[in-house]
Coordinates of all heavy atoms in Angstrom, one line a residue:
I1 N -16.5 14.4 -3.6 CA -17.5 14.0 -4.7 C -18.4 12.9 -4.1 O -17.9 12.0 -3.4 CB -16.7 13.4 -5.9 CG1 -15.6 14.4 -6.4 CG2 -17.8 13.1 -7.0 CD1 -14.8 13.8 -7.6
T2 N -19.7 13.1 -4.4 CA -20.7 12.0 -4.0 C -21.5 11.6 -5.1 O -21.6 12.3 -6.2 CB -21.5 12.6 -2.8 OG1 -22.3 13.7 -3.3 CG2 -20.7 12.9 -1.6
S3 N -22.2 10.5 -5.0 CA -23.2 10.0 -5.9 C -24.4 9.6 -5.1 O -24.3 9.0 -4.0 CB -22.5 8.8 -6.5 OG -23.5 8.0 -7.2
R4 N -25.6 9.9 -5.6 CA -26.8 9.5 -4.9 C -27.3 8.1 -5.4 O -27.5 8.0 -6.6 CB -27.9 10.6 -5.1 CG -29.1 10.4 -4.2 CD -30.0 11.6 -4.3 NE -29.4 12.8 -3.9 CZ -29.2 13.3 -2.6 NH1 -29.7 12.6 -1.7 NH2 -28.6 14.4 -2.4
N5 N -27.6 7.2 -4.5 CA -28.0 5.9 -4.9 C -29.5 5.9 -5.1 O -30.2 6.9 -4.9 CB -27.5 4.7 -4.0 CG -28.2 4.8 -2.6 OD1 -29.1 5.5 -2.4 ND2 -27.7 4.0 -1.7
S6 N -30.1 4.8 -5.5 CA -31.5 4.7 -5.9 C -32.5 5.1 -4.7 O -33.6 5.5 -4.9 CB -31.9 3.4 -6.4 OG -31.6 2.3 -5.4
N7 N -32.0 4.8 -3.4 CA -32.9 5.2 -2.3 C -32.6 6.5 -1.7 O -33.0 6.9 -0.6 CB -32.9 4.1 -1.2 CG -31.5 3.9 -0.5 OD1 -30.6 4.6 -0.9 ND2 -31.5 3.0 0.4
G8 N -31.8 7.3 -2.5 CA -31.5 8.7 -2.0 C -30.4 8.9 -1.1 O -30.1 10.1 -0.8
V9 N -29.6 7.9 -0.8 CA -28.5 8.0 0.1 C -27.2 8.5 -0.7 O -26.9 7.9 -1.8 CB -28.1 6.7 0.8 CG1 -26.9 6.8 1.6 CG2 -29.3 6.3 1.6
E10 N -26.6 9.6 -0.3 CA -25.4 10.0 -0.9 C -24.2 9.1 -0.5 O -23.9 8.9 0.7 CB -25.1 11.5 -0.5 CG -25.9 12.4 -1.3 CD -25.4 13.9 -1.2 OE1 -24.3 14.1 -0.7 OE2 -26.2 14.8 -1.6
M11 N -23.5 8.6 -1.5 CA -22.4 7.7 -1.3 C -21.1 8.4 -1.9 O -21.2 9.1 -2.9 CB -22.6 6.3 -2.0 CG -23.7 5.6 -1.3 SD -23.5 5.2 0.4 CE -22.0 4.1 0.3
P12 N -20.0 8.2 -1.3 CA -18.8 8.9 -1.7 C -18.3 8.3 -3.1 O -18.5 7.2 -3.5 CB -17.8 8.6 -0.7 CG -18.3 7.3 0.0 CD -19.7 7.3 -0.1
V13 N -17.6 9.2 -3.8 CA -16.8 8.8 -5.0 C -15.4 9.3 -4.7 O -15.1 10.5 -4.6 CB -17.3 9.5 -6.3 CG1 -16.5 9.2 -7.5 CG2 -18.7 9.2 -6.6
W14 N -14.6 8.3 -4.4 CA -13.1 8.6 -4.1 C -12.3 8.6 -5.4 O -12.5 7.8 -6.2 CB -12.6 7.6 -3.1 CG -13.2 7.7 -1.7 CD1 -13.0 8.8 -0.9 CD2 -14.1 6.8 -1.0 NE1 -13.7 8.5 0.4 CE2 -14.3 7.3 0.2 CE3 -14.6 5.6 -1.4 CZ2 -15.1 6.6 1.2 CZ3 -15.4 4.9 -0.5 CH2 -15.6 5.4 0.8
V15 N -11.3 9.4 -5.4 CA -10.3 9.4 -6.5 C -9.0 8.9 -6.0 O -8.5 9.2 -4.9 CB -10.1 10.9 -7.0 CG1 -9.1 10.9 -8.1 CG2 -11.5 11.5 -7.4
K16 N -8.5 7.9 -6.8 CA -7.2 7.3 -6.5 C -6.4 7.0 -7.7 O -7.0 6.8 -8.8 CB -7.3 6.0 -5.6 CG -7.8 4.8 -6.4 CD -7.8 3.6 -5.5 CE -6.7 2.6 -5.6 NZ -5.9 2.4 -6.8
D17 N -5.1 7.0 -7.6 CA -4.2 6.6 -8.7 C -4.2 5.1 -8.8 O -4.3 4.4 -7.7 CB -2.7 7.0 -8.4 CG -1.8 6.8 -9.5 OD1 -1.4 5.6 -9.7 OD2 -1.5 7.7 -10.3
P18 N -4.3 4.5 -10.0 CA -4.3 3.0 -10.1 C -3.1 2.3 -9.4 O -3.3 1.1 -9.0 CB -4.3 2.8 -11.6 CG -4.7 4.0 -12.2 CD -4.3 5.1 -11.3
D19 N -2.0 3.0 -9.3 CA -0.8 2.4 -8.6 C -0.9 2.4 -7.1 O -0.1 1.8 -6.4 CB 0.5 3.0 -9.1 CG 0.7 2.8 -10.6 OD1 0.3 1.7 -11.1 OD2 1.2 3.6 -11.2
S20 N -1.8 3.2 -6.6 CA -2.0 3.4 -5.1 C -2.7 2.2 -4.5 O -3.6 1.6 -5.1 CB -2.7 4.6 -4.8 OG -2.0 5.7 -5.3
A21 N -2.4 1.9 -3.2 CA -3.1 0.9 -2.4 C -3.7 1.8 -1.2 O -2.9 2.3 -0.4 CB -2.3 -0.2 -1.9
L22 N -5.0 2.0 -1.2 CA -5.5 3.0 -0.2 C -6.7 2.4 0.5 O -7.4 1.5 0.1 CB -6.0 4.3 -0.9 CG -4.9 5.1 -1.6 CD1 -5.5 6.2 -2.4 CD2 -3.8 5.5 -0.6
D23 N -6.9 3.0 1.7 CA -8.1 2.5 2.6 C -9.3 3.5 2.5 O -9.0 4.7 2.3 CB -7.7 2.3 4.0 CG -7.1 3.6 4.6 OD1 -6.1 4.2 4.0 OD2 -7.6 4.0 5.6
Y24 N -10.4 3.0 2.7 CA -11.7 3.9 2.6 C -12.5 3.5 3.8 O -12.7 2.3 4.1 CB -12.4 3.7 1.3 CG -11.5 4.0 0.2 CD1 -10.8 3.0 -0.5 CD2 -11.3 5.3 -0.3 CE1 -9.9 3.2 -1.6 CE2 -10.5 5.6 -1.3 CZ -9.7 4.6 -1.9 OH -8.9 4.9 -3.0
T25 N -13.0 4.4 4.6 CA -13.8 4.2 5.7 C -15.2 4.8 5.6 O -15.3 5.9 5.1 CB -13.1 4.8 7.0 OG1 -11.8 4.2 7.1 CG2 -13.8 4.5 8.3
L26 N -16.2 4.0 6.1 CA -17.5 4.5 6.1 C -18.2 4.3 7.5 O -18.0 3.2 8.1 CB -18.4 3.7 5.0 CG -18.0 4.1 3.6 CD1 -18.3 2.9 2.6 CD2 -18.7 5.4 3.2
R27 N -19.0 5.2 7.9 CA -19.8 5.1 9.1 C -21.2 4.8 8.7 O -21.8 5.5 7.9 CB -19.7 6.4 9.9 CG -18.4 6.6 10.5 CD -18.4 7.8 11.4 NE -17.1 8.1 12.0 CZ -16.6 7.5 13.1 NH1 -17.3 6.6 13.6 NH2 -15.4 7.8 13.5
W28 N -21.8 3.8 9.4 CA -23.1 3.3 9.1 C -24.2 3.6 10.2 O -25.3 3.2 10.2 CB -23.2 1.8 8.8 CG -22.3 1.5 7.6 CD1 -21.0 1.0 7.7 CD2 -22.5 1.7 6.3 NE1 -20.5 0.9 6.4 CE2 -21.5 1.3 5.5 CE3 -23.7 2.2 5.6 CZ2 -21.4 1.4 4.1 CZ3 -23.6 2.2 4.2 CH2 -22.6 1.8 3.5
N29 N -23.8 4.4 11.2 CA -24.6 4.7 12.4 C -26.0 5.3 12.0 O -26.9 5.0 12.7 CB -23.9 5.5 13.4 CG -23.3 6.7 12.9 OD1 -22.8 6.8 11.7 ND2 -23.2 7.7 13.7
N30 N -26.1 6.0 10.9 CA -27.4 6.6 10.5 C -28.3 5.5 9.9 O -29.5 5.7 9.7 CB -27.2 7.6 9.4 CG -26.5 8.9 10.0 OD1 -26.6 9.1 11.2 ND2 -26.0 9.7 9.1
H31 N -27.8 4.3 9.7 CA -28.6 3.2 9.1 C -28.8 2.1 10.2 O -29.5 1.1 9.9 CB -27.9 2.6 7.9 CG -27.6 3.6 6.9 ND1 -28.5 3.8 5.9 CD2 -26.5 4.4 6.6 CE1 -28.0 4.8 5.1 NE2 -26.8 5.1 5.4
L32 N -28.4 2.3 11.4 CA -28.5 1.3 12.5 C -29.3 1.9 13.6 O -29.2 3.1 13.9 CB -27.2 0.9 13.0 CG -26.3 0.2 11.9 CD1 -24.9 0.0 12.5 CD2 -26.8 -1.2 11.6
A33 N -30.0 1.1 14.3 CA -30.7 1.5 15.6 C -29.6 1.8 16.6 O -28.5 1.2 16.5 CB -31.7 0.4 16.1
P34 N -29.9 2.6 17.6 CA -28.9 3.0 18.6 C -28.3 1.7 19.3 O -27.1 1.8 19.7 CB -29.6 3.8 19.6 CG -30.7 4.4 18.8 CD -31.1 3.4 17.8
D35 N -29.1 0.6 19.4 CA -28.6 -0.5 20.1 C -28.2 -1.7 19.2 O -28.0 -2.7 19.6 CB -29.7 -1.0 21.1 CG -31.0 -1.5 20.4 OD1 -31.1 -1.1 19.2 OD2 -31.7 -2.2 21.0
D36 N -27.9 -1.3 18.0 CA -27.5 -2.3 17.0 C -26.1 -2.1 16.5 O -25.5 -1.0 16.7 CB -28.4 -2.2 15.7 CG -28.5 -3.5 14.9 OD1 -27.8 -4.5 15.3 OD2 -29.2 -3.5 13.9
E37 N -25.4 -3.1 16.0 CA -24.0 -3.0 15.5 C -23.8 -3.9 14.3 O -24.6 -4.9 14.2 CB -23.0 -3.2 16.6 CG -23.1 -4.6 17.2 CD -22.2 -4.7 18.4 OE1 -22.2 -3.8 19.3 OE2 -21.4 -5.7 18.4
L38 N -22.8 -3.6 13.5 CA -22.5 -4.5 12.4 C -21.8 -5.8 12.9 O -21.0 -5.8 13.8 CB -21.7 -3.7 11.4 CG -22.3 -2.5 10.8 CD1 -21.3 -1.9 9.9 CD2 -23.5 -2.8 10.1
T39 N -22.1 -6.9 12.2 CA -21.5 -8.2 12.6 C -20.7 -8.8 11.4 O -19.8 -9.6 11.6 CB -22.5 -9.2 13.0 OG1 -23.4 -9.4 12.0 CG2 -23.2 -8.8 14.3
R40 N -21.0 -8.3 10.2 CA -20.3 -8.8 9.0 C -20.4 -7.8 7.9 O -21.4 -7.1 7.8 CB -21.0 -10.1 8.6 CG -20.4 -10.8 7.4 CD -21.0 -12.2 7.2 NE -20.7 -12.6 5.8 CZ -21.5 -13.3 5.1 NH1 -22.7 -13.7 5.6 NH2 -21.2 -13.6 3.9
V41 N -19.4 -7.7 7.1 CA -19.3 -6.9 6.0 C -18.6 -7.5 4.8 O -17.7 -8.3 5.0 CB -18.6 -5.5 6.3 CG1 -17.2 -5.7 6.7 CG2 -18.8 -4.5 5.2
E42 N -19.1 -7.2 3.6 CA -18.4 -7.7 2.3 C -18.3 -6.5 1.4 O -19.3 -5.8 1.2 CB -19.2 -8.8 1.7 CG -19.3 -10.1 2.4 CD -20.1 -11.1 1.7 OE1 -20.7 -10.8 0.6 OE2 -20.2 -12.2 2.2
H43 N -17.2 -6.4 0.7 CA -17.0 -5.3 -0.3 C -16.6 -6.0 -1.5 O -15.7 -6.9 -1.6 CB -15.8 -4.4 0.2 CG -16.1 -3.6 1.4 ND1 -15.9 -4.2 2.6 CD2 -16.6 -2.4 1.6 CE1 -16.2 -3.3 3.6 NE2 -16.7 -2.2 2.9
T44 N -17.3 -5.7 -2.6 CA -17.0 -6.4 -3.9 C -16.7 -5.3 -4.9 O -17.6 -4.7 -5.5 CB -18.2 -7.2 -4.4 OG1 -18.6 -8.1 -3.3 CG2 -18.0 -8.0 -5.6
P45 N -15.4 -5.2 -5.3 CA -15.0 -4.2 -6.3 C -15.2 -4.8 -7.7 O -15.2 -6.1 -7.9 CB -13.6 -3.9 -6.0 CG -13.1 -5.1 -5.4 CD -14.2 -5.7 -4.6
Y46 N -15.5 -4.1 -8.7 CA -15.6 -4.5 -10.1 C -14.6 -4.0 -11.0 O -13.9 -3.0 -10.7 CB -17.0 -4.1 -10.6 CG -18.2 -4.8 -9.9 CD1 -18.7 -4.3 -8.8 CD2 -18.6 -6.0 -10.3 CE1 -19.7 -4.9 -8.1 CE2 -19.6 -6.7 -9.6 CZ -20.1 -6.2 -8.5 OH -21.1 -6.9 -7.9
G47 N -14.3 -4.7 -12.1 CA -13.3 -4.4 -13.0 C -11.9 -4.8 -12.4 O -11.9 -5.6 -11.6
P48 N -10.9 -4.1 -12.9 CA -9.5 -4.4 -12.4 C -9.2 -3.8 -11.0 O -8.1 -4.1 -10.5 CB -8.6 -3.7 -13.4 CG -9.4 -2.6 -14.0 CD -10.8 -3.0 -13.9
L49 N -10.1 -3.2 -10.4 CA -10.0 -2.7 -9.0 C -10.0 -4.0 -8.1 O -10.9 -4.8 -8.2 CB -11.1 -1.8 -8.6 CG -10.9 -1.0 -7.3 CD1 -9.8 0.0 -7.4 CD2 -12.2 -0.3 -6.9
R50 N -9.0 -4.1 -7.2 CA -8.8 -5.3 -6.4 C -9.0 -5.0 -4.9 O -8.4 -4.0 -4.4 CB -7.5 -6.0 -6.6 CG -7.4 -6.6 -8.0 CD -8.3 -7.8 -8.3 NE -8.3 -8.2 -9.6 CZ -9.4 -8.0 -10.5 NH1 -10.5 -7.4 -10.0 NH2 -9.3 -8.4 -11.7
L51 N -9.7 -5.9 -4.2 CA -9.8 -5.8 -2.7 C -8.6 -6.4 -2.0 O -8.2 -7.5 -2.3 CB -11.0 -6.5 -2.3 CG -11.4 -6.4 -0.8 CD1 -11.8 -5.0 -0.4 CD2 -12.5 -7.4 -0.4
I52 N -7.9 -5.6 -1.1 CA -6.8 -6.1 -0.3 C -7.3 -6.6 1.0 O -6.9 -7.7 1.4 CB -5.8 -5.0 -0.2 CG1 -5.3 -4.4 -1.4 CG2 -4.6 -5.4 0.8 CD1 -4.4 -3.2 -1.3
S53 N -8.1 -5.8 1.7 CA -8.7 -6.3 2.9 C -10.0 -5.5 3.2 O -10.2 -4.5 2.6 CB -7.7 -6.1 4.1 OG -7.4 -4.7 4.3
E54 N -10.7 -6.0 4.2 CA -12.0 -5.4 4.6 C -12.2 -5.7 6.1 O -11.7 -6.7 6.6 CB -13.1 -5.8 3.8 CG -13.4 -7.3 3.8 CD -14.5 -7.8 2.9 OE1 -15.1 -7.0 2.3 OE2 -14.6 -9.0 2.7
G55 N -13.1 -4.9 6.8 CA -13.4 -5.3 8.1 C -14.3 -4.3 8.8 O -14.6 -3.2 8.2
I56 N -14.7 -4.6 10.0 CA -15.5 -3.8 10.9 C -14.6 -3.2 12.0 O -13.7 -4.0 12.5 CB -16.7 -4.5 11.5 CG1 -17.6 -5.0 10.4 CG2 -17.4 -3.7 12.5 CD1 -18.6 -6.0 10.8
N57 N -14.7 -2.0 12.3 CA -13.8 -1.4 13.3 C -14.2 -2.0 14.7 O -15.3 -1.8 15.1 CB -13.9 0.1 13.3 CG -13.0 0.8 14.4 OD1 -12.7 0.2 15.3 ND2 -12.6 2.0 14.0
P58 N -13.3 -2.7 15.4 CA -13.7 -3.3 16.6 C -14.0 -2.3 17.7 O -14.7 -2.6 18.7 CB -12.5 -4.2 17.0 CG -11.3 -3.7 16.2 CD -12.0 -3.0 15.0
E59 N -13.5 -1.1 17.6 CA -13.8 -0.1 18.6 C -15.0 0.7 18.3 O -15.6 1.4 19.2 CB -12.6 0.9 18.7 CG -11.3 0.2 19.2 CD -10.1 1.2 19.2 OE1 -10.3 2.4 19.2 OE2 -9.0 0.6 19.3
D60 N -15.5 0.6 17.0 CA -16.7 1.3 16.7 C -17.4 0.4 15.6 O -17.2 0.5 14.4 CB -16.4 2.7 16.0 CG -17.7 3.4 15.6 OD1 -18.8 2.8 15.7 OD2 -17.6 4.5 15.2
P61 N -18.3 -0.5 16.1 CA -18.9 -1.5 15.2 C -20.0 -1.0 14.3 O -20.7 -1.7 13.6 CB -19.4 -2.6 16.2 CG -19.6 -1.9 17.5 CD -18.6 -0.8 17.5
S62 N -20.0 0.4 14.1 CA -20.9 0.9 13.1 C -20.0 1.5 11.9 O -20.5 2.1 11.0 CB -21.7 2.1 13.6 OG -21.0 3.2 14.0
M63 N -18.7 1.2 11.9 CA -17.8 1.7 11.0 C -17.1 0.6 10.2 O -16.6 -0.3 10.9 CB -16.8 2.6 11.6 CG -15.9 3.3 10.7 SD -14.9 4.6 11.5 CE -14.0 3.8 12.7
T64 N -17.1 0.6 8.9 CA -16.3 -0.4 8.1 C -15.1 0.3 7.4 O -15.1 1.5 7.2 CB -17.2 -1.0 7.1 OG1 -17.8 0.0 6.2 CG2 -18.4 -1.7 7.8
Q65 N -14.2 -0.5 7.0 CA -13.1 0.0 6.2 C -12.7 -1.1 5.2 O -12.7 -2.3 5.5 CB -11.9 0.2 7.2 CG -10.7 0.8 6.4 CD -9.6 1.2 7.3 OE1 -9.0 0.3 8.1 NE2 -9.2 2.4 7.4
F66 N -12.2 -0.7 4.0 CA -11.7 -1.6 3.0 C -10.5 -0.9 2.3 O -10.4 0.3 2.3 CB -12.8 -2.0 2.0 CG -13.3 -0.9 1.1 CD1 -12.8 -0.8 -0.2 CD2 -14.3 0.0 1.6 CE1 -13.3 0.2 -1.0 CE2 -14.8 1.0 0.7 CZ -14.3 1.1 -0.5
W67 N -9.6 -1.8 1.8 CA -8.4 -1.3 1.2 C -8.5 -1.9 -0.3 O -8.9 -3.0 -0.5 CB -7.2 -1.9 1.8 CG -6.8 -1.3 3.1 CD1 -7.4 -1.5 4.3 CD2 -5.7 -0.4 3.3 NE1 -6.7 -0.7 5.2 CE2 -5.7 -0.1 4.7 CE3 -4.7 0.1 2.5 CZ2 -4.8 0.7 5.2 CZ3 -3.8 1.0 3.1 CH2 -3.8 1.3 4.4
T68 N -8.1 -1.0 -1.3 CA -8.1 -1.4 -2.7 C -6.8 -1.1 -3.3 O -6.0 -0.2 -2.9 CB -9.2 -0.8 -3.5 OG1 -9.0 0.6 -3.5 CG2 -10.6 -1.1 -2.9
K69 N -6.5 -1.7 -4.5 CA -5.4 -1.4 -5.3 C -5.9 -1.6 -6.8 O -6.9 -2.3 -7.0 CB -4.1 -2.2 -5.0 CG -4.3 -3.7 -5.3 CD -3.1 -4.4 -4.9 CE -3.2 -5.9 -5.1 NZ -2.0 -6.6 -4.8
G70 N -5.1 -1.1 -7.7 CA -5.5 -1.2 -9.1 C -6.5 -0.2 -9.6 O -6.8 0.8 -9.0
G71 N -7.0 -0.6 -10.7 CA -8.1 0.2 -11.4 C -7.6 0.8 -12.7 O -6.4 0.6 -13.1
T72 N -8.5 1.3 -13.5 CA -8.1 1.8 -14.9 C -8.4 3.3 -14.9 O -9.4 3.8 -14.5 CB -9.1 1.1 -15.9 OG1 -8.9 -0.3 -15.9 CG2 -8.8 1.7 -17.3
P73 N -7.4 4.1 -15.3 CA -7.4 5.5 -15.4 C -8.7 6.0 -16.2 O -8.9 5.3 -17.3 CB -6.2 6.0 -16.1 CG -5.2 4.9 -15.8 CD -6.0 3.6 -15.8
G74 N -9.4 6.9 -15.7 CA -10.6 7.5 -16.4 C -11.9 6.7 -16.1 O -12.9 7.0 -16.7
I75 N -11.8 5.6 -15.3 CA -13.0 4.9 -15.0 C -13.4 5.0 -13.6 O -12.6 5.0 -12.7 CB -12.7 3.4 -15.3 CG1 -12.3 3.1 -16.8 CG2 -13.9 2.5 -15.0 CD1 -13.4 3.4 -17.8
N76 N -14.8 5.1 -13.4 CA -15.4 5.1 -12.0 C -15.7 3.6 -11.8 O -16.6 3.1 -12.4 CB -16.6 5.9 -11.9 CG -16.3 7.4 -11.8 OD1 -15.2 7.8 -11.6 ND2 -17.3 8.2 -12.0
H77 N -15.0 3.0 -10.9 CA -15.2 1.6 -10.5 C -16.1 1.4 -9.4 O -15.9 2.0 -8.3 CB -13.8 0.9 -10.1 CG -12.8 0.9 -11.2 ND1 -12.8 0.1 -12.3 CD2 -11.7 1.7 -11.4 CE1 -11.9 0.3 -13.1 NE2 -11.1 1.3 -12.6
P78 N -17.3 0.7 -9.5 CA -18.2 0.5 -8.4 C -17.6 -0.5 -7.4 O -16.9 -1.5 -7.8 CB -19.4 0.0 -9.1 CG -19.0 -0.6 -10.4 CD -17.7 0.1 -10.8
V79 N -17.9 -0.2 -6.1 CA -17.7 -1.2 -5.1 C -19.0 -1.4 -4.3 O -19.5 -0.5 -3.7 CB -16.6 -0.7 -4.1 CG1 -16.3 -1.6 -3.0 CG2 -15.3 -0.3 -4.9
L80 N -19.5 -2.7 -4.5 CA -20.7 -3.0 -3.7 C -20.3 -3.3 -2.3 O -19.4 -4.1 -2.0 CB -21.4 -4.3 -4.4 CG -22.5 -4.8 -3.6 CD1 -23.7 -3.9 -3.6 CD2 -22.9 -6.2 -4.1
M81 N -21.0 -2.7 -1.3 CA -20.8 -2.9 0.1 C -22.1 -3.5 0.6 O -23.1 -3.0 0.5 CB -20.5 -1.6 0.7 CG -19.2 -1.0 0.3 SD -18.9 0.7 0.9 CE -20.1 1.6 0.0
R82 N -21.9 -4.7 1.2 CA -23.1 -5.4 1.9 C -22.7 -5.7 3.3 O -21.6 -6.1 3.6 CB -23.4 -6.7 1.2 CG -24.4 -7.5 1.8 CD -24.7 -8.7 1.0 NE -25.5 -8.3 -0.2 CZ -25.6 -8.9 -1.3 NH1 -24.9 -10.1 -1.4 NH2 -26.2 -8.5 -2.4
W83 N -23.6 -5.3 4.2 CA -23.4 -5.5 5.6 C -24.6 -6.1 6.3 O -25.7 -6.1 5.8 CB -22.9 -4.3 6.3 CG -23.8 -3.0 6.2 CD1 -23.6 -1.9 5.5 CD2 -25.0 -2.8 6.9 NE1 -24.5 -1.0 5.6 CE2 -25.5 -1.5 6.5 CE3 -25.8 -3.4 7.8 CZ2 -26.6 -0.9 7.0 CZ3 -27.0 -2.9 8.3 CH2 -27.4 -1.6 7.8
W84 N -24.3 -6.8 7.4 CA -25.3 -7.4 8.3 C -25.1 -6.9 9.7 O -24.0 -6.6 10.2 CB -25.1 -9.0 8.3 CG -25.3 -9.6 7.0 CD1 -26.5 -10.2 6.6 CD2 -24.5 -9.8 5.9 NE1 -26.3 -10.8 5.3 CE2 -25.1 -10.5 4.9 CE3 -23.1 -9.3 5.6 CZ2 -24.5 -10.7 3.7 CZ3 -22.5 -9.6 4.5 CH2 -23.2 -10.4 3.5
S85 N -26.3 -6.8 10.4 CA -26.2 -6.3 11.8 C -26.7 -7.4 12.8 O -27.3 -8.4 12.4 CB -27.0 -5.0 11.9 OG -28.4 -5.4 12.1
K86 N -26.3 -7.1 14.1 CA -26.7 -8.0 15.2 C -28.2 -8.2 15.3 O -28.7 -9.2 15.6 CB -26.1 -7.4 16.5 CG -26.4 -8.3 17.7 CD -25.5 -7.8 18.9 CE -26.1 -6.4 19.4 NZ -25.4 -6.0 20.6
K87 N -29.0 -7.1 14.9 CA -30.4 -7.2 15.0 C -31.1 -7.7 13.8 O -32.3 -7.7 13.7 CB -30.9 -5.7 15.3 CG -30.5 -5.1 16.6 CD -31.5 -5.5 17.7 CE -31.1 -4.9 19.0 NZ -32.0 -5.0 20.1
G88 N -30.3 -8.2 12.8 CA -30.9 -8.8 11.6 C -31.0 -7.9 10.4 O -31.5 -8.3 9.4
R89 N -30.5 -6.7 10.5 CA -30.5 -5.8 9.3 C -29.5 -6.3 8.3 O -28.5 -6.7 8.7 CB -30.3 -4.3 9.7 CG -31.4 -3.7 10.4 CD -31.0 -2.3 10.9 NE -32.1 -1.6 11.5 CZ -32.4 -1.8 12.9 NH1 -31.6 -2.6 13.6 NH2 -33.4 -1.2 13.4
Q90 N -29.8 -6.1 7.0 CA -28.9 -6.4 5.9 C -29.2 -5.3 4.9 O -30.3 -5.0 4.6 CB -29.1 -7.7 5.3 CG -28.2 -8.0 4.1 CD -28.5 -9.2 3.3 OE1 -29.0 -10.2 4.0 NE2 -28.2 -9.3 2.1
D91 N -28.1 -4.7 4.4 CA -28.3 -3.6 3.4 C -27.1 -3.7 2.4 O -26.1 -4.2 2.7 CB -28.3 -2.3 4.0 CG -29.4 -1.4 3.3 OD1 -29.7 -1.6 2.1 OD2 -29.8 -0.4 4.0
D92 N -27.4 -3.1 1.2 CA -26.4 -3.0 0.1 C -26.3 -1.6 -0.3 O -27.3 -0.9 -0.4 CB -26.8 -3.8 -1.1 CG -26.8 -5.3 -1.0 OD1 -26.2 -5.8 0.1 OD2 -27.3 -6.0 -1.8
F93 N -25.1 -1.1 -0.5 CA -24.8 0.2 -1.0 C -23.7 0.1 -2.0 O -22.9 -0.8 -2.0 CB -24.4 1.2 0.1 CG -25.5 1.4 1.1 CD1 -25.6 0.6 2.2 CD2 -26.3 2.5 0.9 CE1 -26.7 0.9 3.1 CE2 -27.3 2.8 1.8 CZ -27.5 2.0 2.9
T94 N -23.6 1.1 -2.9 CA -22.5 1.1 -3.9 C -21.8 2.5 -3.8 O -22.5 3.5 -3.8 CB -23.0 0.9 -5.3 OG1 -23.7 -0.4 -5.4 CG2 -21.8 0.9 -6.3
C95 N -20.4 2.4 -3.6 CA -19.7 3.6 -3.8 C -18.8 3.5 -5.0 O -18.8 2.4 -5.7 CB -18.8 3.8 -2.5 SG -17.5 2.6 -2.3
F96 N -18.1 4.5 -5.4 CA -17.3 4.5 -6.6 C -15.9 4.9 -6.3 O -15.6 5.8 -5.5 CB -17.9 5.3 -7.7 CG -19.2 4.8 -8.2 CD1 -20.4 5.2 -7.6 CD2 -19.2 4.0 -9.2 CE1 -21.6 4.7 -8.1 CE2 -20.4 3.4 -9.8 CZ -21.6 3.8 -9.1
I97 N -14.9 4.3 -6.9 CA -13.5 4.8 -6.9 C -13.1 5.2 -8.3 O -13.1 4.4 -9.2 CB -12.6 3.6 -6.3 CG1 -13.1 3.2 -5.0 CG2 -11.2 4.1 -6.4 CD1 -12.1 2.6 -4.0
Q98 N -12.9 6.5 -8.4 CA -12.5 7.0 -9.7 C -11.0 7.0 -9.8 O -10.3 7.6 -9.1 CB -13.0 8.5 -9.8 CG -12.7 9.2 -11.0 CD -13.2 10.6 -11.0 OE1 -14.3 10.9 -10.4 NE2 -12.5 11.5 -11.7
C99 N -10.5 6.3 -10.9 CA -9.1 6.1 -11.0 C -8.5 7.2 -12.0 O -9.1 7.4 -13.1 CB -8.8 4.7 -11.5 SG -9.0 3.5 -10.3
E100 N -7.6 7.9 -11.4 CA -6.9 8.9 -12.3 C -5.4 8.8 -12.0 O -5.0 8.7 -10.8 CB -7.4 10.4 -11.9 CG -8.9 10.6 -12.1 CD -9.3 10.6 -13.5 OE1 -8.5 10.8 -14.4 OE2 -10.5 10.3 -13.7
N101 N -4.6 9.0 -13.0 CA -3.1 9.0 -12.9 C -2.8 10.4 -12.1 O -3.2 11.4 -12.6 CB -2.4 8.9 -14.2 CG -2.5 7.5 -14.8 OD1 -2.4 6.6 -14.0 ND2 -2.6 7.5 -16.1
N102 N -1.9 10.3 -11.2 CA -1.4 11.4 -10.5 C -0.3 12.1 -11.3 O 0.5 11.4 -12.0 CB -0.9 11.1 -9.1 CG -2.0 10.8 -8.1 OD1 -3.2 11.3 -8.3 ND2 -1.8 10.0 -7.1

């Protein structure tokens, strides 16, 4: 499942059980110059969805990953993702985690 944000970029909508603690990975190479890489990332979930951890893949600095737990069944919880790059780029995107009981 995907969702299109205001600038036309398709972002994922992941489905998870509220009792699960799961990881989600995104590649940002289409948003970076070939000689650029990510230096910092922040993920901000909303509602009862909780962030466990986040980071940039040290082997591929155009890829980020975050882990979440919690959520409310039947709700699409937004997660704001903000990143910064070595060349000075900064961008915000929102993905969604749809919580459903398994």
